[in-house]
Amino acid sequence: MPSNEQRRQAAKRKLERQLARRAERAKRRRIWGASITAVVVIAAVGLVYWLVNLGPDNNSEAATSPDDSSTANTSKGACGYKDNPSETPPDGKDVGMPDDPAETPKTGTVKVTLKTNQGDIPLTLDRAKAPCTVQSMEHLVTKKFFDGTTCHRLTASAGLKVLQCGDPLGTGAGGPGYSIPDELAAAQKFTPGQSPDGSTQVVTYPRGTVAMANGGANTGGSQFFLVYGDSTLPPNYTYFGTVEAAGLTVLDKIAAGGITAGQNGPEDGTPKSPVQIKQAVKE
């Protein structure tokens, strides 16, 4: 039978073994923890390296997908045409946005003839004056957007003599479903003046001017106006071309036919001799 001293020695040895096993387990846990931490750090560094050096480039197809919510409603080129949700083109007039290359053509002219029931109105569109606007107008003409539309507004006041066209609805509220950025540098070079009350800076849009109508900054679409007599306006309307002499003769005939008074009075309404663009043709 073991003595008390033998029992104490046996218990001491057992305790020492237990403490040694616990120390070994703790050591293994520390080694595994350090290994896992190292793996996580290496993986994170590798992921960052891939994203910075090997991942999708910002100019890749994925990065510029039409599903990108920040730019889904804007064309990707130099002009940045934008969807205009306030306009829904009628059936047959939804022709999409124009092509929008990174380098918009800025030289040369485009010849367009508006074949109306009152006679042909030939226009010369100048890319140097408003490249994005001319690019859009060329698109609309090519897609036959203007065919079968009416010129819905004629004015004859001392300071505003224009025929306004290009609305597929014929009401003044329609458009192509997208908007064009303003290009005002050319209009700002017109002869300056003051409004009758002296409160507004204006310029003279000369007879023969072709300019964009709009409802505010950067809202131009398809509506444009043809100036048959010098007109005084703020330089807020993109000037992009001219009416040729034969077209001015037709405009004078339309103006002479008179105006059916509208909500702005007897000098601003619809032409008494209706004007329909049967076809717009790029020459």
Side-chain angles (χ1 to χ4, degrees), residues 201-239:
Q201 182 67 43
V202 296
V203 297
T204 298
Y205 284 71
R207 173 177 163 86
T209 294
V210 184
M212 290 302 298
N214 65 55
N218 301 307
T219 61
S222 60
Q223 293 189 45
F224 59 93
F225 58 90
L226 310 174
V227 181
Y228 68 89
D230 291 356
S231 296
T232 304
L233 292 164
N236 299 336
Y237 304 92
T238 299
Y239 161 49

Side-chain angles (χ1 to χ4, degrees), residues 13-137:
R13 288 193 295 272
K14 181 178 179 180
L15 177 60
E16 288 173 345
R17 289 195 299 270
Q18 289 174 342
L19 291 175
R21 285 196 296 271
R22 290 174 185 172
E24 183 63 26
R25 287 197 295 271
K27 180 179 178 181
R28 287 199 296 268
R29 283 197 296 271
R30 288 195 298 272
I31 292 172
W32 273 105
S35 299
I36 292 170
T37 300
V39 169
V40 171
V41 170
I42 291 170
V45 171
L47 177 60
V48 170
Y49 180 85
W50 183 82
L51 288 171
V52 172
N53 297 285
L54 303 174
D57 187 88
N58 286 338
N59 294 322
S60 69
E61 182 177 349
T64 58
S65 165
D67 291 333
D68 183 350
S69 61
S70 64
T71 56
N73 297 322
T74 305
S75 60
K76 309 292 185 181
C79 295
Y81 304 111
K82 293 183 178 181
D83 280 346
N84 185 349
S86 67
E87 295 178 353
T88 302
D91 290 344
K93 296 297 182 183
D94 188 355
V95 297
M97 285 190 189
D99 291 335
D100 192 6
E103 293 294 329
T104 307
K106 295 179 175 64
T107 59
T109 59
V110 177
K111 299 285 188 179
V112 171
T113 298
L114 305 179
K115 295 183 174 296
T116 82
N117 60 325
Q118 300 292 336
D120 289 356
I121 304 175
L123 312 176
T124 299
L125 313 186
D126 189 343
R127 295 186 190 277
K129 297 291 190 295
C132 294
T133 302
V134 172
Q135 187 168 261
S136 173
M137 292 294 290

Side-chain angles (χ1 to χ4, degrees), residues 89-96 140 143-149 168 175-177:
D91 290 344
K93 296 297 182 183
D94 188 355
V95 297
L140 294 174
K143 295 293 185 178
K144 303 185 182 303
F145 180 87
F146 296 115
D147 294 7
T149 62

Side-chain angles (χ1 to χ4, degrees), residues 139-204:
H139 165 75
L140 294 174
V141 169
T142 301
K143 295 293 185 178
K144 303 185 182 303
F145 180 87
F146 296 115
D147 294 7
T149 62
T150 60
C151 295
H152 62 278
R153 184 186 185 195
L154 181 65
T155 67
S157 67
L160 188 63
K161 299 180 185 296
V162 304
L163 177 69
Q164 189 165 323
C165 311
D167 176 8
L169 301 178
T171 63
Y178 65 86
S179 58
I180 307 170
D182 291 337
E183 297 173 288
L184 304 177
Q188 290 167 350
K189 294 178 181 177
F190 286 150
T191 303
Q194 291 287 335
S195 60
D197 62 3
S199 64
T200 306
Q201 182 67 43
V202 296
V203 297
T204 298

